[in-house]
Amino acid sequence: MRMNEFISRKMDEIFTDFQREIQEEYLCQLKDFRFDRGNIPNYNEEIMQQFYLLKYLPAYLTEYYCIYTELINENFLGTKINVLSIGAGCGIDFWGLKFAFDESEDEYELSYRGIDAVEWGYQEDFEELNYQIDCIDLGQIETIDDHYNIIIFPKSIGEFDDTTFENFLELLKNTTFSKKKLVILSSLIKTRVDWEISRVIQIVNVLEEHHGYKCKDNPNQYRVYEKNVGEEYRFEEICDTFYYPPNIKKFILELNSHCQGYEENDSEPCNEDCTIMNRHPIIKTSLVNFQILKFIRE
Ligand SMILES: C[S@@+](CC[C@H](N)C(=O)[O-])C[C@H]1O[C@@H](n2cnc3c(N)ncnc32)[C@H](O)[C@@H]1O
């Protein structure tokens, strides 16, 4: 199955559930769906998961696909790929990985373990693969297996609280890494990119100072896809298997008008701030910010 077909199937599944959900609930709770000023949506609520995925799934999947395609092209790790994904959500980064590696001419041996504090819906079964996502808080992890050669933070590194992150750094210090080569992948949230990079740098310092790795890339820099400074691409310009379903796009743009309160109020918003519910699905590369940090130990 091509990535655009997969996106179409997955988005339809989520959209069907979302439409059912909003017949029973007022949409007002989606006003809390925001990432500005330190806000993080409550992913434990089904409606938040659905709305998150409807807005971001095609864009984030394409971003992860591009990250792994670039990593494959850099030809650094060889053919055994063991991934630890921290804050994996429903596993979008794995889908990106899989589409990228499936397209490669070389044969790879893949294993993937994702962890997330929240039990996300909409996960896929990959029974034939060495794949699992565990619902566990990063703060509860006591050891990191030594066989990983990729650790990815898929839009997650800024969401751990300070204590959890400090404990994670301690855990990293006490981990035995068996691989000569290691890659840290971080997909960053645009509105807090500097803060997230400051965390990445702390990880780099642990790997260099405690494990003898040398980072071959500059951890202060991150990659973006821009035509010119500040002028982003539409995703289909950089990836021909990107797809955003037009009916879902229209629905999300006019979300406010689907609220029961709006209907009961003669097609007017029931509160002044209702219009903030109308959101833009992500179809341009403006949120693509990522790092591929390659480490080597002599
Ligand atoms: C912005 S979401 C990204 C989800 C997914 N990786 C994606 O690409 O859409 C951040 C994720 O980090 C997870 N997270 C936050 N704090 C965590 C923690 N302490 N332990 C494990 N996961 C955590 C959240 O539950 C959430 O799923």
Side-chain angles (χ1 to χ4, degrees):
M1 184 185 281
R2 279 169 62 85
M3 198 164 85
N4 48 0
E5 292 162 353
F6 176 81
I7 294 174
S8 174
R9 166 171 78 71
K10 210 68 203 164
M11 291 288 276
D12 276 351
E13 178 192 342
I14 300 161
F15 189 46
T16 304
D17 290 352
F18 182 68
Q19 284 175 300
R20 194 179 319 116
E21 189 82 16
I22 65 173
Q23 276 171 4
E24 289 158 18
E25 303 270 348
Y26 275 55
L27 282 175
C28 305
Q29 51 186 316
L30 291 180
K31 288 179 197 168
D32 295 333
F33 185 96
R34 50 201 309 165
F35 290 92
D36 59 335
R37 294 188 223 128
N39 286 296
I40 294 173
N42 182 356
Y43 305 115
N44 284 299
E45 291 174 19
E46 248 173 90
I47 195 167
M48 293 291 184
Q49 292 188 9
Q50 290 157 355
F51 189 58
Y52 175 94
L53 293 170
L54 289 176
K55 184 170 160 119
Y56 296 111
L57 184 156
Y60 286 175
L61 171 54
T62 307
E63 177 172 341
Y64 302 140
Y65 165 82
C66 290
I67 292 174
Y68 278 107
T69 303
E70 291 205 15
L71 182 64
I72 291 167
N73 291 341
E74 289 180 27
N75 197 14
F76 176 69
L77 278 182
T79 55
K80 279 199 173 158
I81 305 292
N82 302 320
V83 180
L84 174 64
S85 172
I86 303 180
C90 64
I92 304 178
D93 60 301
F94 180 75
W95 309 339
L97 173 157
K98 187 162 172 1
F99 282 112
F101 280 96
D102 280 354
E103 274 179 19
S104 165
E105 287 172 359
D106 296 317
E107 281 277 312
Y108 287 90
E109 211 178 291
L110 303 176
S111 81
Y112 174 96
R113 183 186 183 207
I115 64 158
D116 202 289
V118 170
E119 179 86 59
W120 278 74
Y122 306 105
Q123 298 187 26
E124 290 280 302
D125 264 348
F126 295 100
E127 276 171 11
E128 74 286 11
L129 298 175
N130 192 345
Y131 162 90
Q132 71 184 87
I133 295 184
D134 297 319
C135 180
I136 184 166
D137 194 291
L138 177 59
Q140 290 176 294
I141 299 282
E142 287 176 1
T143 51
I144 298 176
D145 207 291
D146 71 347
H147 77 298
Y148 296 115
N149 56 4
I150 297 181
I151 300 179
I152 180 169
F153 298 92
K155 305 276 179 207
S156 56
I157 198 165
E159 295 205 358
F160 316 130
D161 64 43
D162 285 343
T163 313
T164 301
F165 187 69
E166 291 300 324
N167 289 343
F168 173 68
L169 291 176
E170 284 305 310
L171 182 61
L172 265 192
K173 284 179 195 167
N174 297 323
T175 295
T176 315
F177 288 98
S178 65
K179 304 288 181 196
K180 198 176 149 192
K181 290 177 175 177
L182 188 66
V183 172
I184 300 290
L185 300 175
S186 63
S187 168
L188 305 161
I189 299 269
K190 190 173 183 168
T191 50
R192 51 182 196 226
V193 88
D194 292 336
W195 146 250
E196 296 204 337
I197 284 186
S198 71
R199 285 192 160 181
V200 173
I201 289 172
Q202 292 180 68
I203 292 174
V204 172
N205 290 342
V206 169
L207 292 174
E208 291 197 329
E209 288 163 19
H210 290 262
H211 296 289
Y213 286 107
K214 183 89 199 97
C215 184
K216 288 161 59 74
D217 301 280
N218 183 347
N220 289 294
Q221 289 178 348
Y222 58 94
R223 307 185 196 192
V224 295
Y225 290 141
E226 287 180 339
K227 282 185 193 172
N228 297 302
V229 177
E231 191 194 351
E232 64 265 15
Y233 290 97
R234 282 179 294 126
F235 268 109
E236 58 260 39
E237 291 179 273
I238 58 155
C239 175
D240 64 3
T241 51
F242 173 82
Y243 177 68
Y244 197 102
N247 60 324
I248 301 180
K249 181 175 166 199
K250 185 166 182 301
F251 193 94
I252 299 289
L253 283 169
E254 299 166 353
L255 195 58
N256 192 26
S257 67
H258 298 285
C259 178
Q260 284 186 29
Y262 183 89
E263 285 167 18
E264 287 165 12
N265 199 28
D266 291 333
S267 299
E268 292 290 337
C270 48
N271 268 310
E272 274 174 22
D273 63 349
C274 284
T275 45
I276 68 161
M277 283 188 314
N278 291 337
R279 303 300 176 96
H280 290 271
I282 309 302
I283 51 174
K284 291 188 172 177
T285 57
S286 54
L287 301 187
V288 174
N289 304 276
F290 65 89
Q291 296 176 298
I292 299 179
L293 301 178
K294 301 185 289 301
F295 293 80
I296 191 151
R297 184 167 61 187
E298 295 309 332

